[in-house]
């Protein structure tokens, strides 16, 4: 993730824009909240198109280290809360309404369903760009409680609460197979139902969302000094994000071994082959849990609140064996964490305490947005309402889908979706972070 600076700003003027500053202000000012029943409507699809453009422009500004006017517009018009609300709405729709609609709409409205499912990835990706900045976290205030709850749910999913094996089966099914097996696979594709395609798309999108949620969690931990105490308590007491990051180090979901023995790592949301000699070279995704671990264990705001017991001690020491010389060469700031773990190993800590004596959970704020979204909803009624008001035409007659197709045909958009290969000498993201942490 690049820092915002004046460098490269001149290259953004003219045709380089996806959304120019004046248009961006108008777009951001018009962003509003939608009810669950409105998800997928024409007005909702127009806002999805707007958010997709804003997301692409925000990434382009970050990549070129130019003026991040999308971010400033969102803060100026107070739309950060709206984006968080939008994220929770589409999460709830996907969890409770989509299962009731998928069999009825698969094949008839598959493309519209895909864009609705992908909306969550767009919003979390946009928030990922914004929350890199400390002042954005500070402006979020107690509304970030909802976001902490959200990323905790996604991290739990990534740690084993969701079946991503279907995606792996599809990605690896044509790797190193014989001609007969290839024919069998081709026949299976012909007999695949529209619901199978949607299931695959949902799995891929959910994986992408969970990975982005890890980055958001890291930024919340990094900027915890500027968060309200209630949000800090949510991070270390209610959800214990430290315990959620540890399995991501032990069993990283962004590294996998194919049936033919080849290793792959996820880089920029694409699986790339890795030679065995390069397996210990850390990618940006692999660095996120370690950086988060550092902030959760080193920041004063967490050290004052985090109560160590024998269970937590045992969990933390599970990752001590991964702090090798190769790892420390790439992330030198982890030397302090290594020293802390060595001291923790010989330190006596109390056993976990439960029951009435553990009063830390007696008072905590409720997730007002999510509670309000879910309370009193009749999901069958919502699904039937959408069948009558939203999904009234097929994909081939849908003007909203034609507009989305035109968006992705833009040359400037292609430059963001397929960025150029970094030139030799450009500073790597992890090296830059390591340098900053050593200086601090």
């Amino acid at each position: 993730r690049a820092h915002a600076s004046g460098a490269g700003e001149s290259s953004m003027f003219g045709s380089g824009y996806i959304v120019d500053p004046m248009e961006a202000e108008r777009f951001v000012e018009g962003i509003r909240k939608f009810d669950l029943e409105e998800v997928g409507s024409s007005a909702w699809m127009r806002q999805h198109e707007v958010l997709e453009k804003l997301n692409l422009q925000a990434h382009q500004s970050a990549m070129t280290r130019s003026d991040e006017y999308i971010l400033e517009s969102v803060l100026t018009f107070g739309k950060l809360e709206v984006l968080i609300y939008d994220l929770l709405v589409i999460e709830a729709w996907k969890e409770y309404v989509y299962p009731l609609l998928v069999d009825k709409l698969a094949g008839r409205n598959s493309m519209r369903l895909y864009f609705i499912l992908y909306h969550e990835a767009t919003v979390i990706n946009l928030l990922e760009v914004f929350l890199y900045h400390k002042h954005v976290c500070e402006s979020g205030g107690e509304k970030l409680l909802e976001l902490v709850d959200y990323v905790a749910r996604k991290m739990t999913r990534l740690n084993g609460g969701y079946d991503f094996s279907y995606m792996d089966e599809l990605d690896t099914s044509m790797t190193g197979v014989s001609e007969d097996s290839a024919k069998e696979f081709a026949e299976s594709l012909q007999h695949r139902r529209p619901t199978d395609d949607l299931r695959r798309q949902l799995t891929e999108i959910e994986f992408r969302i969970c990975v982005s949620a890890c980055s958001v969690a890291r930024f919340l931990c990094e900027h915890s000094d500027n968060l309200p105490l209630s949000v800090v308590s949510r991070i270390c007491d209610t959800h214990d994000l430290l315990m959620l990051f540890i399995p991501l180090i032990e069993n990283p979901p962004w590294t996998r071994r194919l049936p033919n023995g080849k290793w792959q790592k996820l880089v920029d949301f694409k699986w790339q082959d890795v030679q065995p000699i390069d397996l210990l070279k850390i990618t940006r995704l692999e660095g996120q849990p370690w950086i988060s671990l550092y902030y959760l264990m080193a920041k004063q705001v967490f050290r004052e609140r985090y109560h160590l017991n024998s269970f937590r001690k045992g969990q933390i020491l599970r990752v001590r064996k991964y702090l090798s010389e190769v790892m420390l060469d790439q992330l030198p700031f982890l030397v302090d964490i290594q020293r802390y773990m060595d001291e923790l190993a010989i330190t006596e800590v109390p056993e976990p305490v439960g029951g009435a004596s553990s009063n830390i959970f007696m008072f905590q704020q409720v997730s007002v947005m999510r509670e309000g979204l879910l309370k009193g909803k009749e999901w069958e009624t919502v699904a039937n309402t959408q069948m009558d008001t939203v999904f009234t035409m097929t994909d081939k007659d849908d003007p909203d889908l034609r507009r989305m197709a035109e968006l992705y045909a833009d040359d400037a958009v292609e430059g963001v979706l397929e960025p150029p290969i970094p030139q030799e000498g450009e500073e790597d993201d992890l090296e830059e972070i390591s340098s900053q942490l050593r200086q601090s």
Side-chain angles (χ1 to χ4, degrees):
R1 169 65 175 88
H3 288 291
S5 67
E9 187 172 352
S10 60
S11 66
M12 287 295 299
F13 290 106
S15 60
Y17 285 119
I18 297 172
V19 182
D20 65 60
M22 294 297 292
E23 189 180 23
E25 284 195 10
R26 181 170 59 84
F27 279 163
V28 172
E29 190 175 9
I31 295 174
R32 68 177 180 90
K33 295 180 179 179
F34 283 89
D35 294 330
L36 270 163
E37 291 81 1
E38 297 178 279
V39 170
S41 64
S42 291
W44 186 94
M45 287 292 288
R46 282 193 291 272
Q47 179 157 302
H48 169 70
E49 182 184 357
V50 165
L51 287 175
E52 187 65 35
K53 288 181 178 179
L54 294 176
N55 182 42
L56 292 167
Q57 181 58 60
H59 277 78
Q60 187 188 62
S61 298
M63 289 162 59
T64 57
R65 302 177 180 234
S66 56
D67 181 24
E68 300 204 35
Y69 53 87
I70 304 294
L71 164 61
E72 298 309 324
S73 296
V74 168
L75 295 181
T76 300
F77 292 106
K79 298 297 183 178
L80 190 61
E81 178 186 347
V82 179
L83 291 177
I84 294 173
Y85 180 85
D86 196 26
L87 191 67
L88 298 177
V89 167
I90 192 62
E91 181 196 23
W93 183 90
K94 192 171 70 176
E95 185 175 351
Y96 296 104
V97 182
Y98 174 72
L100 302 176
L101 294 174
V102 61
D103 289 332
K104 302 175 184 177
L105 298 176
R108 176 173 172 265
N109 294 102
S110 293
M111 281 302 298
R112 197 178 191 91
L113 283 175
Y114 173 80
F115 281 117
I116 295 172
L117 294 173
Y118 194 78
H119 182 74
E120 186 179 357
T122 298
V123 179
I124 189 66
N125 204 216
L126 184 58
L127 288 172
E128 185 181 356
V129 176
F130 291 166
L131 293 170
Y132 172 82
H133 300 278
K134 182 188 298 184
H135 67 285
V136 178
C137 290
E138 190 172 4
S139 67
E142 294 195 346
K143 297 300 180 184
L144 294 180
L145 273 172
E146 309 275 355
L147 195 57
V148 173
D149 290 348
Y150 174 86
V151 298
R153 289 193 293 272
K154 296 302 178 182
M155 289 174 66
T156 302
R157 219 161 236 214
L158 200 57
N159 282 327
Y162 194 83
D163 183 14
F164 292 109
S165 61
Y166 188 70
M167 179 178 65
D168 292 338
E169 291 169 11
L170 291 167
D171 286 348
T172 62
S173 54
M174 287 300 291
T175 306
V177 296
S178 64
E179 185 178 348
D180 292 338
S181 299
K183 291 179 179 178
E184 291 176 6
F185 181 74
E187 290 178 4
S188 69
L189 286 179
Q190 292 177 354
H191 294 93
R192 186 183 296 168
R193 299 170 301 170
T195 50
D196 295 330
D197 291 329
L198 284 170
R199 180 188 171 195
R200 174 183 59 82
Q201 291 165 356
L202 175 61
T203 303
E204 290 176 350
I205 292 169
E206 187 66 20
F207 182 70
R208 188 186 189 99
I209 291 166
C210 291
V211 170
S212 293
C214 290
S215 296
V216 171
R218 173 228 150 165
F219 295 139
L220 291 172
C221 295
E222 180 178 353
H223 304 312
S224 56
D225 294 331
N226 301 88
L227 300 179
L229 186 59
S230 58
V231 179
V232 174
S233 175
R234 204 70 149 208
I235 291 173
C236 63
D237 295 334
T238 308
H239 296 299
D240 201 352
L241 290 192
L242 179 59
M243 296 296 106
L244 289 178
F245 276 114
I246 286 173
L248 296 178
I249 294 173
E250 287 193 301
N251 300 293
W254 26 75
T255 301
R256 68 183 185 184
R257 189 177 186 182
L258 302 180
N260 61 5
K262 286 186 177 180
W263 286 92
Q264 290 185 330
K265 288 190 177 185
L266 194 67
V267 179
D268 294 330
F269 293 106
K270 295 178 181 177
W271 289 105
Q272 296 184 2
D273 290 340
V274 177
Q275 297 299 320
I277 194 173
D278 294 326
L279 280 174
L280 293 180
K281 185 177 180 181
I282 301 175
T283 64
R284 294 182 184 183
L285 285 177
E286 289 175 316
Q288 298 290 359
W290 284 110
I291 296 168
S292 304
L293 202 70
Y294 174 83
Y295 287 122
L296 286 165
M297 297 174 70
K299 274 192 172 286
Q300 187 67 24
V301 67
F302 291 125
R303 291 173 69 91
E304 290 174 352
R305 293 194 59 84
Y306 202 70
H307 172 69
L308 273 176
N309 54 42
S310 58
F311 171 75
R312 286 172 169 170
K313 171 185 172 180
Q315 295 297 303
I316 291 171
L317 292 179
R318 279 164 53 184
V319 299
R320 170 62 180 84
K321 59 180 175 289
Y322 300 108
L323 293 174
S324 61
E325 290 185 11
V326 177
M327 173 74 72
L328 297 178
D329 284 343
Q330 297 174 81
L331 299 175
F333 60 87
L334 290 177
V335 170
D336 294 333
I337 297 301
Q338 184 186 43
R339 186 180 305 114
Y340 172 78
M341 289 184 178
D342 290 341
E343 294 174 359
L344 180 62
I346 59 174
T347 302
E348 291 292 332
V349 295
E351 294 294 322
V353 178
S357 60
S358 179
N359 59 4
I360 198 166
F361 296 110
M362 287 185 68
F363 296 99
Q364 65 175 351
Q365 289 182 253
V366 175
S367 302
V368 179
M369 285 188 194
R370 184 167 169 84
E371 290 286 333
L373 282 170
L374 302 182
K375 188 175 181 180
K377 290 289 184 183
E378 294 289 341
W379 302 114
E380 288 281 359
T381 304
V382 173
N384 292 333
T385 301
Q386 289 207 303
M387 285 295 297
D388 296 334
T389 59
V390 175
F391 300 101
T392 57
M393 63 182 73
T394 61
D395 283 345
K396 66 178 182 179
D397 302 321
D398 197 330
D400 297 323
L401 298 184
R402 285 196 288 271
R403 284 203 318 272
M404 291 302 300
E406 291 171 3
L407 167 63
Y408 291 107
D410 193 316
D411 291 339
V413 170
E414 184 179 355
V416 178
L417 297 177
E418 298 290 341
I421 299 172
Q423 298 298 312
E424 185 177 353
E426 287 189 2
E427 187 174 26
D428 183 79
D429 186 39
L430 288 176
E431 292 178 359
E432 189 173 349
I433 293 168
S434 297
S435 177
Q436 292 172 1
L437 291 176
R438 283 200 302 272
Q439 291 172 8
S440 63

